[in-house]
Amino acid sequence: MELNLVMTIVDRERSQTMENICQNLKLPLTLTMLCQGTATGEHLSLYGLVPKDKALICTAADGEQTQKLMRAAKLRMFIDIPGNGIMLSVPIKSVGGGLTMAYLTDKKAPTGGKPSMVFSHELIYVILNEGASDEVMHAARSAGATGGTVLLGKGTGSRENGKFLGISLANEKDVVLIVAEARKKAAIMKAIVEQAGPGTSAGAICFSLPVSQVAGLRQVDADEDGAEETEAAAE
């Protein structure tokens, strides 16, 4: 049984196209959240670019629907060509009861078989104090990360004083999403914790999720070990 959370990050003006694709495939639940890229000011100035607002579109899909969704995004949005966004699927391990499963699958038995437990990429999910995304991305880039996406949020911690290890749990938060090669994930997370983690002004905490499929990452020069690296194209 396979069920995925399929996430697509694109320029905000292209989000409606992705929503239409999900609607045409009759996917029962699609959520769109506004976000921003993390390209540095120096990078933007070098190429004469301006920051672009992004949208994160999330939908639940079984194995067959995931393949159809990926295929449609490639055909209609050229999502597999660098610069047009990033698309990834994260396996869903469990859901809250039969009614939830029926809703997410439109009462159909999920297809696709048991998902593979070997993942070439992972999604690093970082929760940090509002306005500290530059510090987090500086730390992440020092360990090999090349891009990320920032979402706005609000903490709802239950600690009496609203803080835990220097993290203000009830204040406005940013969330940074970083797609990274599995072999680089540990180093990136370590750099974030050491340079922008609890006890710093960023107060970042992070965890990772497996990515079963990904599209929209560009290939760059091979590293000194001869292995190819990938770069996020949705900055």
Side-chain angles (χ1 to χ4, degrees):
M1 178 181 297
E2 181 180 354
L3 190 62
N4 301 304
L5 177 66
V6 183
M7 307 170 68
T8 308
I9 302 169
V10 294
D11 291 342
R12 197 168 296 178
E13 63 266 21
R14 305 182 71 213
S15 62
Q16 185 62 55
T17 303
M18 191 65 206
E19 293 171 5
N20 291 340
I21 292 174
C22 295
Q23 185 176 16
N24 291 339
L25 291 175
K26 302 186 185 306
L27 297 172
L29 176 65
T30 301
L31 302 175
T32 299
M33 292 164 275
L34 304 183
C35 49
Q36 294 178 326
T38 59
T40 63
E42 293 84 354
H43 179 86
L44 295 171
S45 299
L46 179 62
Y47 295 102
L49 303 175
V50 295
K52 283 192 174 182
D53 292 332
K54 303 288 180 180
L56 170 64
I57 302 98
C58 298
T59 188
D62 64 27
E64 180 180 350
Q65 291 170 327
T66 298
Q67 298 304 323
K68 290 181 178 179
L69 186 58
M70 288 271 190
R71 189 179 307 117
K74 291 176 181 179
L75 291 174
R76 292 187 56 185
M77 302 183 69
F78 307 104
I79 202 73
D80 53 333
I81 297 177
N84 289 326
I86 292 179
M87 191 173 189
L88 59 140
S89 64
V90 176
I92 296 176
K93 184 177 181 181
S94 60
V95 299
L99 291 178
T100 302
M101 177 64 80
Y103 175 75
L104 293 178
T105 61
D106 198 21
K107 299 181 180 180
K108 298 177 182 177
T111 61
K114 185 178 179 179
S116 170
M117 292 294 104
V118 179
F119 305 103
S120 61
H121 291 80
E122 297 197 31
L123 176 65
I124 300 174
Y125 195 104
V126 191
I127 303 171
L128 54 139
N129 291 330
E130 182 184 25
S133 59
D134 285 347
E135 291 94 310
V136 168
M137 285 308 305
H138 177 76
R141 285 191 175 97
S142 72
T146 54
T149 302
V150 182
L151 295 85
L152 303 182
K154 185 176 180 63
T156 55
S158 60
R159 301 262 172 179
E160 291 183 2
N161 59 3
K163 290 188 176 182
F164 175 63
L165 295 178
I167 307 171
S168 181
L169 296 173
N171 291 341
E172 284 70 17
K173 297 291 180 183
D174 286 346
V175 172
V176 172
L177 305 179
I178 301 170
V179 181
E181 291 178 272
R183 64 189 179 93
K184 294 183 178 180
K185 178 261 299 184
I188 292 172
M189 294 179 68
K190 180 180 179 182
I192 291 172
V193 170
E194 290 180 347
Q195 300 178 39
T200 70
S201 59
I205 56 175
C206 59
F207 53 88
S208 70
L209 300 171
V211 174
S212 56
Q213 297 184 67
V214 63
L217 298 181
R218 67 169 68 96
Q219 297 293 325
V220 295
D221 295 335
D223 62 16
E224 60 185 7
D225 294 326
E228 287 186 329
E229 297 181 357
T230 54
E231 180 177 355
E235 289 188 77

